[in-house]
Amino acid sequence: MASDDNLALLQALDTARTQWYHVKAIVIAGMGFFTDAYDLFCITTVSKLLGRLYFYNPTSHNPGKLPKGINNWVTGVALFGTLTGQLVFGWLGDKLGRKKVYGITLILMVICAICSGLSFGSTSGSVIGTLCFFRFWLGFGIGGDYPLSATIMSEYANKKTRGAFIAAVFAMQGVGIIFAGLVSMILSSIFLKCYKAPSFKDDPIFSTQPQADYLWRIVLMFGALPALLTFYWRMKMPETGRYTALIEGNAKQAAADMGRVLDTELEVETEKLSQFRAANQYSLLSHEFFKRHGRHLIGTMTTWFLLDIAFYSQNLTQKDIFPSMGLVKKASEINAIEEVFETSRAMFIVALLGTFPGYWVTVLFIEKLGRFIIQLVGFFMMSLFMLILGIKYQYLKEDNKWLFAALYGLTFFFANFGPNSTTFVLPAELFPTRLRSTCHALSAASGKAGAMIAAFVVQTYTLDQKVSSIRIAIMILSFTNMLGFFFTFLVPETKGRSLEEISGEDGGGQNETQMTARRSVTMKGGGHLEAI
């Protein structure tokens, strides 16, 4: 089937002008990612408080601190849930439909965010055990949002703005990280005014306010609110036309659904649809899939894996690096709630100035520069800045803290104006409709495997705030980013083409494996850069 003889429904979706339903889809899917990011990263602001409340040892002469193993589980258990949820919901998204399982993820997130702030018992073991149990299932719900939101947005969007729309959904992660810092900062500020206390060095016992036990619970429970607010609108979204037509084979329903949102009348092409579906029946484990997309799947999985080692290391360990940057006071000089306030304020500043702009610069430029160039530049710049931080860590820490903060912020900027955004976009575009959600889930789950390395391995190097250990961690991250740079060459550029053309579903011309070998990226002034 030639690409110019494509289904009218698909052509209508690819060429539709940007309209209200696009904006609504971005907001609905984006609010899920806002919630995801808030729930995953708010734990960073309160994990030190948990140590002061439940693990204080009077003989240590230091504020209470979560033991390394417990700290890793508290901050990392949600990642196990996320990985599992990605695989389960990604598979279900292809088997049952995107919409049918989309609401389940939100329900899980609401229930488990609330339950994360509860305790079954009053001992440290019962509190941490309850927290870890519900944060696992919270992560399970969050995991489902990755493949479903990306797939739904890619299948709704037109081909000229598809990358920007998917990136805009993912950019809400940046807003969620900002709010994780902002909410923690506001709540801790209110608690500070109501419950004053001396610093730890002045009074080790009374420096930890008993009321602080409510603070961390409220911070975690707040994550249920945005998910709850968007549940109704998520349930009102119609199934994507591509799924209804190409997977369910219901041309009439697909034309009706998409005709309604596009405000136009679409032709029902039952016979042409049958031919289209017959040409694309291969499964994930088939030789045909491996021949067409095996290289792409390896590329999206490896780059996301390598990126998340660095990205989650940055986010989960920033509470340990902030003292080196001079953004927070030493633990002994402040009380328990002050430490939450200072950590969340520093997190808010770094996210606002470094993390947040990178997401939206990607949205602005992804259709001009393309996914491939943005990912390459992002990996390279992250590697460069981390190499400088690792080599000059001692000097920057002691003699030039502002430069330290600037370099550290730039690594966040180029993570997001770079692979953190593009690794989310590419798997939603490269693979065929019947396997799109599953392949995105495999790529995202690979990323979460990298995030677990960040939580359970890299994080152990920063907890004691030893210069030599932190230097090793940063140098390792620089190396993983450079590996990501080279693995990027396994994925092709996708901008400006329909999903069916990219995946080869339309049967028109060469498939993507052949096109990867000769990737032509349009440059300023009309020239071309040939990437082999």
Side-chain angles (χ1 to χ4, degrees):
M1 187 191 305
S3 58
D4 60 354
D5 192 31
N6 216 334
L7 291 165
L9 168 70
L10 303 182
Q11 289 179 338
L13 288 168
D14 285 334
T15 58
R17 60 181 175 82
T18 300
Q19 51 196 282
W20 173 241
Y21 95 90
H22 288 119
V23 176
K24 195 160 81 170
I26 290 171
V27 172
I28 294 168
M31 283 305 292
F33 265 88
F34 170 91
T35 307
D36 298 347
Y38 180 91
D39 287 333
L40 283 177
F41 296 114
C42 67
I43 196 68
T44 301
T45 66
V46 297
S47 60
K48 286 195 171 186
L49 176 60
L50 291 169
R52 290 209 189 211
L53 283 167
Y54 295 107
F55 292 90
Y56 172 59
N57 181 359
T59 62
S60 69
H61 306 296
N62 289 310
K65 193 174 183 180
L66 291 175
K68 282 186 180 180
I70 293 175
N71 177 82
N72 292 347
W73 276 104
V74 166
T75 57
V77 70
L79 300 175
F80 279 99
T82 304
L83 185 153
T84 311
Q86 285 165 339
L87 295 174
V88 171
F89 284 110
W91 178 74
L92 288 174
D94 283 334
K95 291 296 178 186
L96 303 179
R98 288 57 161 134
K99 182 190 171 180
K100 284 181 181 176
V101 292
Y102 205 27
I104 299 173
T105 62
L106 276 190
I107 294 171
L108 262 175
M109 286 155 62
V110 169
I111 293 172
C112 294
I114 293 170
C115 290
S116 292
L118 304 177
S119 301
F120 297 156
S122 57
T123 65
S124 60
S126 62
V127 171
I128 298 300
T130 303
L131 176 62
C132 287
F133 176 81
F134 284 112
R135 278 190 66 80
F136 172 86
W137 290 106
L138 174 66
F140 190 79
I142 289 171
D145 246 27
Y146 277 75
L148 294 173
S149 291
T151 300
I152 285 171
M153 197 67 249
S154 71
E155 292 179 353
Y156 268 167
N158 62 59
K159 64 183 179 182
K160 288 185 178 178
T161 57
R162 185 182 59 241
F165 287 172
I166 302 171
V169 169
F170 193 63
M172 290 301 289
Q173 186 181 74
V175 183
I177 295 172
I178 285 176
F179 266 78
L182 183 63
V183 169
S184 300
M185 187 168 63
I186 292 171
L187 289 172
S188 58
S189 178
I190 294 169
F191 271 71
L192 270 176
K193 288 180 180 177
C194 296
Y195 310 109
K196 299 185 183 297
S199 67
F200 179 85
K201 67 180 180 182
D202 292 331
D203 193 327
I205 301 297
F206 289 99
S207 67
T208 302
Q209 302 93 320
Q211 297 83 0
D213 195 44
Y214 295 107
L215 173 59
W216 70 268
R217 299 173 190 274
I218 296 170
V219 168
L220 297 185
M221 288 179 170
F222 185 86
L225 186 60
L228 198 59
L229 291 175
T230 54
F231 179 76
Y232 171 78
W233 297 107
R234 189 172 280 201
M235 291 297 91
K236 294 283 285 183
M237 291 178 76
E239 181 58 86
T240 70
R242 282 182 162 91
Y243 186 87
T244 305
L246 304 183
I247 308 305
E248 294 183 339
N250 193 337
K252 185 176 180 181
Q253 185 66 51
D257 287 345
M258 293 302 101
R260 195 160 51 249
V261 297
L262 293 172
D263 195 23
T264 187
E265 190 170 331
L266 295 173
E267 183 183 353
V268 178
E269 304 169 291
T270 306
E271 186 177 342
K272 190 185 287 188
L273 175 62
S274 298
Q275 295 172 5
F276 196 103
R277 295 182 69 218
N280 294 285
Q281 291 293 322
Y282 57 88
S283 66
L284 179 68
L285 300 179
S286 66
H287 175 72
E288 185 68 17
F289 176 85
F290 183 79
K291 184 175 71 174
R292 292 195 192 190
H293 301 292
R295 180 176 180 175
H296 305 153
L297 187 58
I298 293 170
T300 56
M301 289 179 70
T302 52
T303 51
W304 205 334
F305 171 77
L306 293 163
L307 175 274
D308 271 9
I309 293 175
F311 183 72
Y312 278 85
S313 293
Q314 286 176 291
N315 279 284
L316 294 175
T317 64
Q318 57 187 323
K319 66 185 185 301
D320 306 309
I321 294 174
F322 286 154
S324 302
M325 297 164 62
L327 289 176
V328 301
K329 296 175 185 174
K330 292 181 179 178
S332 61
E333 297 174 357
I334 48 181
N335 63 48
I337 295 177
E338 272 185 297
E339 189 169 40
V340 176
F341 176 79
E342 297 229 335
T343 301
S344 55
R345 181 181 62 186
M347 179 176 168
F348 173 76
I349 292 169
V350 170
L352 186 65
L353 299 180
T355 305
F356 180 75
Y359 285 103
W360 292 100
V361 172
T362 300
V363 175
L364 289 174
F365 288 102
I366 193 167
E367 297 298 353
K368 294 186 178 103
L369 298 177
R371 292 72 158 145
F372 180 72
I373 290 294
I374 289 175
Q375 185 160 309
L376 275 183
V377 171
F379 267 129
F380 181 81
M381 297 306 288
M382 287 172 70
S383 182
L384 177 63
F385 289 129
M386 285 185 172
L387 184 64
I388 296 169
L389 283 170
I391 293 172
K392 293 292 185 180
Y393 185 82
Q394 184 78 42
Y395 161 74
L396 293 167
K397 176 178 179 290
E398 296 176 358
D399 301 321
N400 206 329
K401 290 183 178 180
W402 284 110
L403 180 57
F404 190 146
L407 290 170
Y408 190 67
L410 282 168
T411 63
F412 278 95
F413 176 81
F414 280 104
N416 297 304
F417 178 46
N420 193 42
S421 297
T422 54
T423 54
F424 179 79
V425 173
L426 282 164
E429 299 180 311
L430 282 169
F431 303 103
T433 307
R434 68 170 47 256
L435 298 170
R436 185 168 291 127
S437 180
T438 301
C439 290
H440 194 285
L442 288 169
S443 304
S446 180
K448 285 300 165 285
M452 288 179 203
I453 292 176
F456 290 91
V457 180
V458 178
Q459 194 174 199
T460 59
Y461 283 85
T462 64
L463 285 173
D464 294 330
Q465 296 177 18
K466 291 180 181 177
V467 171
S468 58
S469 297
I470 292 177
R471 283 188 72 233
I472 290 171
I474 295 174
M475 298 285 275
I476 290 171
L477 297 181
S478 175
F479 176 72
T480 60
N481 287 324
M482 189 49 66
L483 284 178
F485 175 89
F486 289 111
F487 276 103
T488 296
F489 286 91
L490 291 175
V491 296
E493 182 55 73
T494 57
K495 71 170 183 173
R497 291 182 286 144
S498 74
L499 293 175
E500 288 68 39
E501 182 187 352
I502 294 165
S503 65
E505 284 176 280
D506 64 358
Q510 58 186 341
N511 63 39
E512 283 300 316
T513 303
Q514 295 167 310
M515 295 181 78
T516 304
R518 184 178 173 84
R519 184 188 296 106
S520 181
V521 181
T522 303
M523 304 297 288
K524 190 174 181 180
H528 288 80
L529 170 67
E530 297 296 337
I532 303 301

